[in-house]
Amino acid sequence: MKKVNKNSVNSQPPVDFTGIEISKPAKAAAGIKAVYSSFKHVFGAMPVGRGLKALAHLNQKGGIDCPSCAWPDPDGERSSIAEYCENGAKAIAEEATTLKVTPVFFQKYSVAELSQKSDYWLGQQGRLTYPMVLRPGHTHYEKMAWSEAFQLIAKHLNQLASPDEAIFYTSGRTSNEAAFLYQLFVRMYGTNNLPDCSNMCHESSGSALGETLGLGKGSVKLDDFEKAEVIMILGQNPGTNHPRMLTALEKAKRAGVKIISVNPLIESGLLKFNHPQQVKDLLLGGEKLTDLYLQIRINGDLALLKAFNKIILEAEEKQGNVLDKVFIEENTEGYEALVEDLKKYDLSKLANACGISVDDIREAAQLLINHDKIIVCWAMGLTQHKNSVPTIKELVNMLLLKGSIGKEGAGTCPVRGHSNVQGDRTMGIYEKPKASFLNKLQEVFQFSPPRKHGYDTVEAIKAMAEKKASVFIAMGGNFLSATPDTEFTAKALQNCDLTVHVSTKLNRSHLIHGKAALILPCLGRTDIDHQATGNQFVSVENSMGVVHSSQGILTPPDETLLSEPAIVAGIANATLTNKVSTVNWDFLISNYDHIRDLIEKTIEGFESYNFRVRQEGGFYLPNAPREKKFTTDSNKAKFSINTLHSIQLKEDEYLMMTIRSHDQFNTTVYGLNDRYRGIYNERRIIFMNENDIKDAGLQIYQVVNLHNHSGGITRKAERFIVVPYSIPARCVATYFPEANVLIPIDSYADVSQTPTSKSVVITLEPVIESGSIVLAK
């Protein structure tokens, strides 16, 4: 065990091991073990009756929208047994727990003492119940009245030389109503500094799709999965990150769809799904999902997609009737330039770059040649590289060649993470708003919104580091643990005069703070939200553009909690005292219908919002590519030329990607197990190719430190256990946030500026200490 200074504040999780146990990776996802895990978490966090009530309403029409991922609910009939997955149940256990963090808790623990605890321990203490303030120079948070908290925020905001010295971050959990009010307040205050979690996940998708198709969202609906002929899944692990997607994939397989999976790791959820609600699956072991598994090198996706497109074009030249030439002629531009560009590439070199044999590439390409109803799904494995935007544009090229956009059973499917991250962007949470959106704000609210673009997440961190920004306000999330370059980000936050976090649970971001800090506890999705006119519901938008309601049904942990809209209104009322405003904030939060009325007036696609959101299942937003319409500057879908980018490793270097464990959603750690990968009771591990372990002179389960040396700065993540795993040579994987310290602040995707959390060059240093070889059970 490493000695720790009890008075120091740790920005990183503790480095002590928790007792690793190893088993063989699972060969199928879900099944009885998922049911057991779900109930263990839920009923371990609350009484049985409360847990059953929450689960019965989870993802049902008119019920509670899962606070976990943004996978869509079925448009038609939903399961009466359970319309949720294991990780959804864990999210409910996390939020609806009856454990509480009261002011007495903060009297017991100093900030420094709390920072020595693990992220898992912090989250397990319970729901926050009272506004807490950390005054300059103090060691403990103290309770504070809501009115005082709002006045403290207003004081700091109003004494800034410019509104651009404040940063307003948003998590993807925030509802449409809260997000709309938040961006309205921020812009009335005078800045576009509205970074959000999308900057760190699907910003690359939005950039690529917006440029090529005219809309930065996916084009498919859930029922397209059963109508497809081929589904390709790149850089995504649905078994852990979007488990309900497995139901759609199982239905697709049983409808005859072929599935191609592309991933550096062999993930159980891509191999087989054992549906826990189907007797057939439980008796026979489930449905095989993937027909062809391409275990690609980290960041080899662009080379693979270029190889597919090259083979598709060659097949068209040889046999004809492979491309949809009518679609290409009528709906696209740039085809001839793409053909000429792909001729420059040698197939064997592309195969070498991605780590897949030419034969396997040709086998997968043949499925694409033979079919034209193709869906491509992807997640962070594609979006968090320097070349992410070109990679996604190349997969768009593939779909355009086949005419696989704007028809049933085909299209783009970026699978979003947090449950309303797409909705927040629709509501205007964006540092680079379109002029048309700002014009509409000006028309509806009679003020002049700022036109200068604000800071994205990386820019916001740099602004705080350079003391260009001194107030940081976060609407949800765990900013420190979600962002790159942990030590750099920590120092940036500590430069602030005030940091504010609107949260349901305690997390590490509350402990790495400005000179003064506030924690403002808010209602969660499961909580009854009672306002002046009665109980309220909120609305969210899922990955496929469906807007629907979510209404809490559980008694909140404390009557002192405010909803996110009420917190925004409180801050606005206290801050905007010197500005002429047409907004009556108290009126808006008295009944959320009033907020939705203003959204309807401001944002396209929300006509009759209050009526349509009350219909079962909600409503679809307009989606031009889904209708074979492309709102680019030329009104055509655009083929693109994407230069191949490769990372050259030195002899002692490895390419690291950060991943989630199975007991984790984003930065929320539900437990210490990664069941599908066979890891139990430990998070400080590094997955390595077994030959790489031998070549490096290491031993299995040896303890190593990890280093990144980008920009002449040495970043260090201490004490990771080497675990052999099926992963391509020179590629390694670690969990975040433990390894986030290694991601350089200046390493981000071109165009989108998404941190390159899946492409981190590292070296290993064997630890010389007693017990440097861990005995795994």
Side-chain angles (χ1 to χ4, degrees), residues 11 35 158 256 264 280 390 398 451 466 498 576 615 646 701 721:
S11 57
V35 176
N158 287 329
K280 177 183 175 182
M398 182 179 74
R451 301 283 168 163
E466 296 166 8
L498 176 69
L576 302 179
Q615 305 309 299
S646 60
Y701 309 135
I721 301 168

Side-chain angles (χ1 to χ4, degrees), residues 673-742:
N673 298 334
D674 194 1
R675 188 175 77 246
Y676 292 159
R677 299 188 184 110
I679 305 296
Y680 294 84
N681 204 42
E682 187 56 74
R683 291 186 55 81
R684 300 193 73 83
I685 62 110
I686 176 168
F687 293 111
M688 288 187 69
N689 179 289
E690 193 158 2
N691 289 329
D692 286 343
I693 297 173
K694 295 175 183 177
D695 292 344
L698 300 173
Q699 295 185 49
I700 293 173
Y701 309 135
Q702 185 168 351
V703 181
V704 295
N705 294 331
L706 316 181
H707 297 271
N708 170 272
H709 307 280
S710 178
I713 299 170
T714 297
R715 299 167 185 84
K716 184 177 182 179
E718 296 185 65
R719 306 185 80 240
F720 283 70
I721 301 168
V722 173
V723 175
Y725 208 78
S726 177
I727 187 170
R730 309 292 294 282
C731 298
V732 297
T734 54
Y735 301 133
F736 69 85
E738 286 81 359
N740 283 1
V741 66
L742 300 170

Side-chain angles (χ1 to χ4, degrees), residues 530-601:
H530 188 81
Q531 301 297 333
T533 61
N535 292 347
Q536 305 297 310
F537 68 86
V538 295
S539 55
V540 296
E541 178 187 343
N542 65 35
S543 270
M544 295 178 185
V546 178
V547 177
H548 60 95
S549 66
S550 177
Q551 183 153 21
I553 44 86
L554 300 180
T555 302
D558 199 283
E559 61 184 11
T560 57
L561 298 187
L562 296 182
S563 70
E564 288 179 326
I567 292 172
V568 174
I571 297 173
N573 278 326
T575 304
L576 302 179
T577 54
N578 296 325
K579 296 182 183 288
V580 177
S581 173
T582 60
V583 179
N584 183 333
W585 301 94
D586 292 333
F587 171 75
L588 291 181
I589 64 168
S590 68
N591 187 322
Y592 295 170
D593 280 359
H594 303 323
I595 305 174
R596 289 186 284 270
D597 285 339
L598 293 178
I599 293 172
E600 178 181 336
K601 291 179 180 180

Side-chain angles (χ1 to χ4, degrees), residues 111-229:
V111 170
E113 289 172 324
L114 289 171
S115 78
Q116 315 298 335
K117 304 294 187 180
S118 71
D119 295 63
Y120 173 57
W121 187 93
L122 293 172
Q124 291 301 301
Q125 300 315 297
R127 287 284 298 275
L128 296 161
T129 59
Y130 210 92
M132 305 300 297
V133 61
L134 184 65
R135 303 182 191 278
H138 286 217
T139 59
H140 290 66
Y141 274 98
E142 307 164 19
K143 70 177 183 178
M144 176 180 258
W146 278 107
S147 59
E148 293 179 89
F150 295 147
Q151 288 300 324
L152 179 63
I153 295 169
K155 175 186 173 183
H156 278 271
L157 289 176
N158 287 329
Q159 69 186 13
L160 296 177
S162 164
D164 291 332
E165 294 177 10
I167 293 165
F168 300 87
Y169 176 76
T170 310
S171 158
R173 182 201 66 200
T174 307
S175 69
N176 282 354
E177 292 75 11
F180 184 80
L181 283 194
Y182 191 46
Q183 66 81 29
L184 179 61
F185 155 65
V186 170
R187 293 191 166 104
M188 294 187 84
Y189 171 66
T191 185
N192 283 313
N193 286 345
L194 283 160
D196 68 343
C197 58
S198 187
N199 294 153
M200 294 179 282
C201 56
H202 270 290
E203 196 69 57
S204 298
S205 300
S207 298
L209 295 175
E211 182 179 339
T212 57
L213 302 179
L215 181 68
K217 300 180 182 181
S219 66
V220 300
K221 295 182 177 181
L222 186 56
D223 62 5
D224 282 320
F225 277 67
E226 290 181 80
K227 299 172 183 176
E229 294 169 331

